[in-house]
């Protein structure tokens, strides 16, 4: 017979085990007795309705700290509603909560919903996020709500109650937006896909009424990837774009066996797993593997090293303000264009009366379009096989250094060289920009019309401008030497300067539209709102603006990463419009994947860059007229001026009232306005220029290199 000491030791061991919950059926009975719906309980526990269902049918059990909170709630209900007999203390009628089913939950934002979730449980309430028991040391609690303004938070879509994405850790915790943590029981990639589609409540509504909902995104930490049978890292490839699992990898075989499919990109850092849609129901999940460098450090600085809850916060804010990520920021920039201008819409077939898919006016359509010969490149199949020898557009961003011989002694004796950078210059150029939507038509000796998008062959070599300014007609800033192809905005600016324009020939588009307008508007709002979250707002004085920009990245590293991603989306999205062939095995004249997209439109990229360069030259010219000052160098959207002090306030033009003069460079947080890029000694700048380098590239100091079009 066991001794008393042995029995007590066994009992103590049981007491030290994890808190025990009543059987699943009893959990459901207690909730029903309290008049609480599964959806309401899910909000209180910061989890999904499906997870609560799993608790009540025995499919899964909660983990700490949700385990202790759930136990506390059930214990309180058990005291009020015993299995037999009258409740110990009946709640007052006024405190009886109203059931709230997820199918009708459309109004409150997550912030507004939280107090409602806590209302029905008073004494035995589940602890708030700040009162929850601490996690074990190996898993510190890092979830916190974004610092976004409430006005920017959209109403919850009842189809996607838990937001657009989740970050999965190795212990099965899926961290979502607004501090939600879901329990994910998946141990294979196939199970993860099915859980995501059936139980997670993840996804995002379409951005345009004719568009498609965003597929849910699951981000895998290194531990989660390894738990699912994936390698921690992909090795053995020279080029990052080639990173993918071999087709005979067990995980790829699992996916195929379960009748799921991968896109042509295979299972790489951004893997899309799907089945063909049945009707309007999409079956697709996007995966991103952090340890495979899915989040490039240039566009997402520091995000891969953050805790899962913070990664979810960064990506969640980006998804809310821009789009649910489905690749690098360049891919997202292009996807956003299509999401806001869907290529098709439902139209009624007059003969049958049925609704069919038709072209959506203002979009780029569903088929790729060959460029006009001067708008493409020599290796494009249509151009290569035609034997085109007529030259090409060279509408690129500025890379210009002023001739040292034009510097005056007065300029050289100024103590500083100050760099100004235009905020998202390409985005500013995209505003109200008319671009061609139809195929190009060829014209000989046409009359120039500044309202028609296209490419024009014109001789501008006779135009002579001040050598202290770059030519607005070439990216090098040098004077043209003969006839060349120009985009409409470049020639319109030549007319603005007072010169006649006589085209020799042109490739023009009859159907036009401001295709990029919604893209511009959404990204501008995202950029300005994110800067505001970092303390840089429109109401600051110029001195306050410079001070805020000096330390904005340290205010909140997570929001600083969102800002960097937004800038990468702008720059990369425009770049993707003219993506070149890639890979060592490519041969001239062969098609390549990028050119087979409807969004492969080099003419639209040329229009944006042409307008951005013209905007820059107009400001340079106005600065010279207002202040008598001329730049030392220009690199894309960065310009360097000699300055009497280290502050641009001392050389920018201001009216007598103290307000900045319009038309020249102005400081501020909105696209097209300027911020301080860097300051160096004037002697340093002159030395760099004499060596044949561009001081705008290195004005930040150190090894900093300005990226074109940021």
């Amino acid at each position: 017979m066991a001794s008393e000491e042995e029995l007590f030791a066994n009992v103590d061991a049981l007491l030290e085990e994890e808190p025990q919950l009543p059987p699943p059926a009893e959990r459901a009975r207690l909730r029903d007795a309290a008049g609480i719906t599964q959806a309401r309980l899910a909000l209180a526990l910061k989890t999904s309705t499906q997870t609560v269902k799993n608790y009540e049918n025995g499919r899964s059990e909660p983990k700490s700290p949700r385990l202790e909170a759930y136990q506390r709630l059930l214990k309180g209900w058990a005291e009020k509603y015993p299995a037999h007999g009258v409740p110990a203390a009946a709640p007052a009628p006024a405190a009886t909560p109203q059931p709230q089913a997820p199918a009708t939950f459309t109004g409150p934002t997550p912030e507004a919903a939280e107090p409602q979730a806590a209302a029905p449980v008073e004494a035995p309430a589940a602890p708030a996020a700040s009162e929850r028991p601490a996690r074990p040391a190996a898993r510190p609690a890092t979830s916190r709500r974004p610092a976004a303004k409430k006005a920017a938070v959209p109403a919850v879509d009842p189809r996607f109650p838990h937001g657009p994405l989740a970050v999965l850790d190795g212990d099965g915790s899926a961290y979502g937006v607004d501090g939600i943590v879901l329990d994910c029981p998946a141990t294979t990639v196939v199970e993860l896909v099915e859980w995501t589609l059936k139980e997670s409540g993840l996804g995002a509504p379409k951005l345009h009424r004719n568009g498609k909902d965003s597929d849910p995104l699951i981000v895998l930490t290194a531990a989660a990837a390894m738990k699912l049978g994936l390698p921690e890292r992909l090795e053995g490839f020279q080029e990052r774009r080639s990173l993918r699992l071999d087709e005979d990898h067990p995980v790829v075989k699992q996916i195929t066996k379960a009748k799921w499919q991968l896109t042509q990109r295979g299972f790489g850092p951004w893997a899309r797993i799907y089945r063909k849609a049945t009707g309007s129901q999409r079956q697709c999940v996007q995966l991103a593997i952090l340890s495979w460098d899915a989040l490039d450090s240039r566009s997402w600085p520091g995000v891969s090293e953050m805790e899962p809850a913070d990664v979810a916060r960064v990506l969640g804010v980006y998804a809310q303000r821009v789009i649910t990520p489905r690749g690098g920021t360049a891919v997202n920039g292009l996807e956003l264009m299509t999401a806001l201008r869907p290529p098709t819409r439902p139209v009624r077939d007059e003969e049958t009366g049925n609704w069919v898919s038709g072209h959506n006016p203002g979009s780029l359509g569903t088929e790729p379009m060959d460029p006009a010969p001067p708008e493409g490149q020599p290796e494009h199949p249509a151009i290569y096989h035609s034997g085109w020898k007529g030259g090409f557009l060279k509408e690129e961003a500025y890379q210009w250094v002023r001739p040292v011989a034009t510097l005056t002694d007065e300029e050289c004796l100024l103590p500083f060289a100050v760099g100004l950078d235009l905020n998202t210059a390409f985005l500013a150029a995209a505003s109200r920009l008319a671009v061609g939507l139809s195929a190009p038509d060829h014209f000989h000796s046409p009359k120039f019309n500044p309202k028609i998008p296209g490419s024009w062959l014109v001789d501008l070599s006779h135009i002579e401008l001040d050598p202290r300014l770059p030519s607005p007609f070439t990216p090098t800033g040098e004077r043209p030497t003969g006839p060349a192809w120009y985009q409409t905005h470049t020639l319109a600016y030549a007319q603005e300067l007072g010169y006649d324009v006589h085209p020799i020939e042109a490739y023009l588009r009859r159907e036009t539209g401001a295709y990029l307008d919604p893209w511009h508007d959404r990204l501008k709002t995202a950029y300005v709102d994110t800067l505001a979250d970092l303390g840089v707002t429109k109401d600051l004085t110029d001195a306050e603006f410079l001070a805020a920009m000096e330390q904005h990245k340290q205010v909140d590293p997570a929001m600083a990463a969102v800002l960097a991603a937004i800038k990468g989306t702008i720059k990369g999205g425009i770049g993707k419009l003219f993506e070149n062939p890639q890979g060592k095995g490519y041969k001239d004249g062969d098609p390549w994947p990028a050119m087979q997209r409807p969004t492969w439109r080099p003419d639209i990229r040329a229009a944006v860059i042409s307008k951005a360069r013209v905007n820059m030259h107009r400001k340079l010219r106005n600065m010279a007229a207002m202040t008598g000052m001329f730049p030392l160098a220009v690199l894309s959207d960065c310009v360097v001026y000699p300055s009497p002090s280290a502050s641009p306030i001392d050389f920018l033009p201001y009216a007598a009232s103290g307000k900045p003069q319009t038309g020249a460079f102005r400081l501020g947080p909105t696209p097209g306005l300027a911020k301080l890029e860097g300051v160096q000694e004037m002697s340093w700048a002159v030395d760099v220029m004499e060596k044949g380098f561009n001081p705008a590239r290195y004005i930040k100091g150190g090894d900093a290199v300005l990226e074109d079009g940021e």
Side-chain angles (χ1 to χ4, degrees):
M1 179 179 290
S3 66
E4 182 179 350
E5 290 79 7
E6 289 175 324
L7 292 172
F8 273 75
N10 291 341
V11 170
D12 289 341
L14 289 175
L15 291 173
E16 290 175 0
E17 289 184 3
E18 286 191 347
Q20 297 300 305
L21 297 172
E26 177 64 5
R27 303 171 198 175
R29 186 196 71 79
L30 290 172
R31 178 184 52 75
D32 287 337
I36 301 299
T37 65
Q38 290 176 329
R40 194 73 173 273
L41 177 55
L43 284 172
L45 293 178
K46 287 295 186 79
T47 188
S48 68
T49 303
Q50 183 60 49
T51 298
V52 171
K53 291 180 181 178
N54 292 344
Y55 294 165
E56 295 182 357
N57 62 27
R59 289 186 59 188
S60 67
E61 296 292 324
K63 299 177 182 179
S64 179
R66 191 174 290 113
L67 173 61
E68 293 82 1
Y70 192 30
Q71 185 198 38
R72 179 183 175 189
L73 177 61
L74 293 174
K75 182 178 179 181
W77 280 342
E79 292 174 356
K80 289 186 176 183
Y81 312 106
H84 301 286
V86 182
T96 303
Q98 296 299 317
Q100 188 173 7
T104 59
F105 180 76
T106 58
T109 64
E111 282 84 351
E114 186 178 2
Q116 295 180 17
V121 284
E122 297 176 1
S130 60
E131 301 170 343
R132 292 174 179 168
R135 292 179 183 267
R139 288 183 59 229
T142 56
S143 298
R144 62 178 184 271
R145 292 182 177 276
K149 299 174 289 186
K150 288 187 178 181
V153 180
V156 173
D157 189 309
R159 298 170 302 154
F160 312 116
H162 303 124
L165 55 89
V167 181
L168 183 62
D169 207 347
D171 64 359
S173 295
Y175 295 81
V177 299
D178 296 312
I180 288 177
V181 184
L182 308 177
D183 292 321
C184 176
T187 57
T188 67
V189 170
V190 170
E191 289 177 357
L192 175 61
V193 170
E194 292 175 349
W195 172 83
T196 302
L197 292 174
K198 296 176 182 178
E199 301 181 23
S200 71
L202 296 174
K206 55 194 175 185
L207 298 179
H208 186 281
R209 68 179 184 275
N210 295 323
K212 299 176 182 177
D213 295 333
S214 290
D215 299 314
L217 167 64
I218 300 292
V219 181
L220 303 180
T221 63
M226 295 174 70
K227 178 182 176 181
L228 297 173
L230 298 168
E232 182 177 2
R233 294 191 177 276
L234 287 180
E235 305 290 349
F237 294 96
Q238 297 295 322
E239 299 180 75
R240 184 176 179 273
R241 62 176 173 272
S242 300
L243 289 173
R244 66 188 65 189
L245 290 180
D246 292 333
E247 292 183 3
D248 61 353
H249 190 278
V251 170
V252 177
K253 289 183 176 180
Q254 266 179 27
I255 293 169
T256 305
K257 185 177 180 181
K259 298 184 178 179
W260 291 95
Q261 299 181 54
L262 293 165
T263 62
Q264 291 183 352
R265 296 168 63 183
F267 202 117
W270 291 89
R272 290 182 70 77
I273 303 175
Y274 71 98
R275 283 179 181 150
K276 290 186 177 180
T278 54
S280 61
Q281 186 67 35
R282 289 173 62 81
Q283 298 185 81
C284 184
V285 174
Q286 176 77 62
L287 300 183
I289 298 94
L290 291 177
S291 58
W292 296 5
D293 298 324
L295 300 181
D296 187 291
S297 59
R298 293 169 297 179
S299 299
W300 302 93
V303 178
S304 293
E305 290 75 41
M306 293 180 180
E307 294 292 334
D310 294 316
V311 176
R313 180 186 174 214
V314 171
L315 297 179
V317 173
Y318 178 88
Q320 172 199 319
R321 296 182 179 180
V322 182
I323 194 172
T324 303
R326 57 175 295 180
T329 51
V331 171
N332 298 336
L334 208 60
E335 290 292 331
L336 182 63
M337 294 180 194
T338 303
L340 294 169
R341 293 279 198 189
T344 62
R345 65 170 181 169
V347 295
R348 188 180 294 277
D349 187 320
E350 296 298 334
E351 294 183 1
T352 65
N354 296 329
W355 289 96
V356 296
S357 179
H359 174 65
N360 185 26
S363 75
L364 298 183
T366 58
E367 298 297 325
M369 184 183 298
D370 284 341
E375 294 170 351
Q377 65 260 67
E379 57 267 37
H380 189 283
I383 299 171
Y384 180 83
H385 296 296
S386 72
W388 171 260
K389 302 294 183 182
F392 297 92
L393 275 175
K394 293 183 180 178
E395 297 286 14
E396 300 293 342
Y398 268 134
Q399 294 191 52
W400 171 80
V401 179
R402 181 174 160 191
V404 176
T406 65
L407 295 177
T408 65
D409 291 342
E410 182 180 4
E411 287 175 316
C412 292
L413 291 174
L414 289 172
F416 295 101
V418 175
L420 293 176
D421 179 67
L422 296 184
N423 302 320
T424 59
F426 289 171
L427 183 65
S431 176
R432 313 302 176 253
L433 174 67
V435 300
L437 300 177
S438 56
D441 292 321
H442 191 198
F443 297 87
H444 291 279
S445 303
K447 181 179 180 181
F448 176 67
N449 187 331
K451 295 183 179 180
I452 300 178
S455 301
W456 312 73
L457 181 63
V458 180
D459 189 351
L460 300 179
S461 60
H462 62 285
I463 299 178
E464 185 173 355
L465 299 174
D466 193 316
R468 293 172 294 179
L469 291 176
S471 168
F473 310 126
T474 64
T476 62
E478 298 177 354
R479 181 175 174 176
T481 57
W485 289 96
Y486 299 98
Q487 202 277 334
T488 298
H489 278 278
T490 303
L491 296 185
Y493 187 59
Q495 278 193 339
E496 181 181 323
L497 294 175
Y499 298 95
D500 291 333
V501 174
H502 301 289
I504 302 168
E505 59 179 307
Y507 286 89
L508 310 177
R509 288 171 165 80
R510 299 179 187 275
E511 184 183 346
T512 66
Y515 171 73
L516 293 174
D517 262 12
W519 187 81
H520 163 272
D521 294 347
R522 185 167 177 84
L523 285 170
K524 176 182 178 181
T525 300
Y527 180 80
V528 172
D529 286 352
T530 306
L531 265 181
D533 288 336
L534 294 168
V536 186
T537 56
K538 298 178 183 178
D539 58 345
L540 299 178
T541 65
D542 283 0
E544 292 170 339
F545 168 74
L546 292 174
M549 286 299 297
E550 190 173 350
Q551 52 86 47
H552 75 284
K553 293 182 180 179
Q554 287 73 48
V555 171
D556 186 342
M559 296 306 295
V562 174
L563 184 69
I566 292 170
K567 293 193 288 188
T569 302
I570 297 165
K571 172 191 170 185
I574 296 299
K576 278 277 186 182
L577 291 169
F578 193 16
E579 190 174 359
N580 290 314
Q582 298 177 355
K584 296 180 179 178
Y586 177 77
K587 295 181 180 179
D588 289 353
D590 289 344
W592 63 95
M595 61 158 280
Q596 296 172 310
R597 298 188 310 246
T599 48
W600 190 83
R601 290 295 301 272
D603 57 301
I604 295 180
R605 175 184 177 272
V608 172
I609 296 178
S610 167
K611 186 177 175 183
R613 198 180 66 244
V614 164
N615 287 348
M616 171 65 81
H617 192 274
R618 188 180 289 111
K619 293 178 187 297
L620 296 172
R621 189 165 53 90
N622 289 339
M623 274 286 292
M626 294 177 185
T627 67
M629 299 187 68
F630 292 87
L632 302 176
V634 183
L635 181 68
S636 187
D637 47 12
C638 178
V639 57
V640 179
Y641 275 98
S643 174
S645 79
S647 172
I649 294 176
D650 290 332
F651 68 82
L652 292 176
Y654 292 85
S657 63
K659 293 184 178 181
Q661 294 275 28
T662 58
F665 295 103
R666 297 170 55 193
L667 299 175
T670 55
L673 299 187
K675 59 181 179 290
L676 180 64
E677 179 68 12
V679 181
Q680 298 287 343
E681 293 182 354
M682 181 63 182
S683 58
W684 168 89
V686 174
D687 184 56
V688 169
M689 295 166 69
E690 288 178 338
K691 291 178 179 178
F693 297 109
N694 192 323
R697 186 177 295 278
Y698 308 103
I699 194 71
K700 280 185 178 179
D703 297 326
V705 176
L706 184 72
E707 295 184 4
D708 293 352
E710 182 189 289

